[in-house]
Amino acid sequence: GPSIDNGFYYDFDTEKPFSEEDLIKIEDEMKKIIKEDLPLERFELPRKEAIKLMNEHNIDINNVICHAPYIINLANNKDESKYEFSKNFLKGEITRCHELGVKYIVLHPGSSVGIDRFTALDNIVNALKQVLEGDEDITILLETMAGKGTELGINIDELKYIIKSVNNDKLGVCLDTCHLNDSGVDINNFEIYLNIFDREIGLDKVH
């Protein structure tokens, strides 16, 4: 959504940008809601019932994209058990998406956290090769990252390396324009970025 001076963004239109006072009021309201300790109810529906409910609310399953949990980090394998956990967790998410009929799942590539970036990129490549071995009709979309901390997938070169190395049609890209803007991409001249992306990776990889 539109950005404001201090870097926040929001996904709806307003008559004027949020001020610092507005954000304070919103935070105060959120704190009030948290203190109310409202009950949360979790329930699971069989696939047919879930699809029926979506149809009743005019939600087309073909337009649904899931986002993988942030707990997954395919870049760091210093602790092999955590690396295996991330791969297995992603496999489980893919299975759930497949059962629902969802075709795309967005994934943060990962963070190096103490290892060099080239090794971290290869860890991502190796993990994705294993995860994508299954028969599920699911495409993983690597999300473009802003470059906070030790994030990977922060530029076209890193995304290109991962995609070309994995070499699987079930791997694509999700262009997060907020992250791109935060990373320094000139969104006002977005066609320049898209032209470079198309030349280096191919816009057919964008979903």
Side-chain angles (χ1 to χ4, degrees):
S3 61
I4 56 178
D5 290 342
N6 60 7
F8 287 94
Y9 67 99
Y10 46 94
D11 294 320
F12 47 87
D13 292 328
T14 59
E15 293 182 359
K16 61 179 181 178
F18 285 146
S19 66
E20 187 172 344
E21 290 75 18
D22 292 329
L23 294 173
I24 292 173
K25 290 178 182 178
I26 292 172
E27 185 174 356
D28 287 342
E29 287 299 317
M30 291 172 65
K31 288 178 179 178
K32 289 179 184 177
I33 294 172
I34 293 172
K35 286 181 180 179
E36 290 179 12
D37 194 25
L38 299 172
L40 296 176
E41 182 181 357
R42 175 189 173 94
F43 62 94
E44 295 183 6
L45 291 175
R47 182 181 185 278
K48 287 185 178 180
E49 290 185 30
I51 297 298
K52 180 176 180 292
L53 186 62
M54 292 171 68
N55 289 336
E56 290 174 355
H57 290 81
N58 297 316
I59 300 174
D60 186 348
I61 189 67
N62 295 309
N63 295 328
V64 174
I65 297 177
C66 289
H67 196 299
Y70 298 136
I71 195 173
I72 297 171
N73 183 10
L74 303 181
N76 188 293
N77 66 346
K78 288 180 70 174
D79 185 328
E80 193 64 33
S81 64
K82 292 181 179 178
Y83 186 56
E84 290 299 318
F85 170 84
S86 289
K87 289 187 288 185
N88 290 330
F89 205 102
L90 181 55
K91 288 178 181 178
E93 290 299 296
I94 288 175
T95 298
R96 281 183 278 275
C97 285
H98 177 70
E99 290 173 351
L100 276 171
V102 175
K103 302 296 184 183
Y104 300 99
I105 181 167
V106 174
L107 173 70
H108 288 191
S111 298
S112 58
V113 194
I115 62 176
D116 70 86
R117 297 187 72 81
F118 294 107
T119 300
L121 285 168
D122 284 335
N123 288 337
I124 295 171
V125 169
N126 293 331
L128 288 173
K129 283 183 177 180
Q130 295 177 45
V131 169
L132 291 170
E133 285 178 348
D135 297 328
E136 297 89 352
D137 182 21
I138 299 287
T139 298
I140 295 176
L141 303 179
L142 300 175
E143 185 174 334
T144 53
M145 305 306 295
K148 304 296 184 184
T150 61
E151 290 175 344
L152 292 131
I154 65 173
N155 54 45
I156 289 175
D157 287 340
E158 289 186 349
L159 293 171
K160 178 181 178 180
Y161 179 81
I162 296 170
I163 290 171
K164 299 299 183 184
S165 299
V166 175
N167 191 27
N168 192 311
D169 290 338
K170 295 190 292 183
L171 185 62
V173 176
C174 166
L175 296 180
D176 185 314
T177 52
C178 180
H179 286 167
L180 289 173
N181 180 68
D182 202 18
S183 71
V185 173
D186 183 3
I187 300 299
N188 291 319
N189 295 288
F190 197 39
E191 68 280 357
I192 296 175
Y193 176 87
L194 292 177
N195 287 337
I196 298 172
F197 188 101
D198 192 29
R199 185 183 71 226
E200 298 297 326
I201 298 176
L203 287 175
D204 60 308
K205 283 293 186 180
V206 176
H207 297 272

